[in-house]
């Protein structure tokens, strides 16, 4: 599946998210106000959601297109529907 996504972009984004999570962990130890920590958690969730959108877009452009053009369209659509359901339930 690596060929269907911009791995370099994703790795860069994920490293930033890891840094955000580490910063949140430090915030807990430094007794930062709860609302500030929650704000940073929300930012990390949003960034992770952005990574999911990149993966889903790559899946559509590569895997779904290839499956419809060269494979079983019904099975491809079923797999795509499952992928969208999983992504939509990330909240």
């Amino acid at each position: 599946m690596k060929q269907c996504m911009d791995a370099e972009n994703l790795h860069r984004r994920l490293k930033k998210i890891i840094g955000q999570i580490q910063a949140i962990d430090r915030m807990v130890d430094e007794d930062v106000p709860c609302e500030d920590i929650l704000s940073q958690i929300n930012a990390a969730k949003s960034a992770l959601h952005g990574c999911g959108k990149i993966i889903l877009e790559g899946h559509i452009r590569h895997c779904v297109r290839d499956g419809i053009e060269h494979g079983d369209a019904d099975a491809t659509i079923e797999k795509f529907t499952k992928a969208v359901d999983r992504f939509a339930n990330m909240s």
Side-chain angles (χ1 to χ4, degrees):
M1 294 301 140
K2 191 173 182 179
Q3 70 273 12
C4 69
M5 58 185 84
D6 183 356
E8 186 176 317
N9 182 23
L10 281 170
H11 284 299
R12 189 183 79 256
R13 287 170 171 259
L14 290 168
K15 285 178 184 177
K16 287 181 182 180
I17 295 167
I18 290 167
Q20 284 180 300
I21 300 300
Q22 290 170 337
I24 293 167
D25 188 49
R26 284 191 302 273
M27 291 171 79
V28 171
D29 289 337
E30 295 168 0
D31 202 28
V32 172
C34 298
E35 53 275 355
D36 293 344
I37 296 171
L38 290 169
S39 177
Q40 290 303 311
I41 288 171
N42 193 44
K45 281 175 46 178
S46 178
L48 197 54
H49 186 77
C51 287
K53 287 176 16 181
I54 290 170
I55 292 170
L56 190 58
E57 182 179 332
H59 181 66
I60 293 167
R61 292 182 186 276
H62 182 270
C63 302
V64 172
R65 178 184 287 156
D66 187 59
I68 290 173
E69 290 176 356
H70 302 104
D72 181 354
D74 290 334
T76 299
I77 292 168
E78 185 176 328
K79 287 179 184 178
F80 174 69
T81 301
K82 283 183 183 179
V84 170
D85 284 344
R86 288 179 183 169
F87 182 65
N89 289 324
M90 287 179 46
S91 57

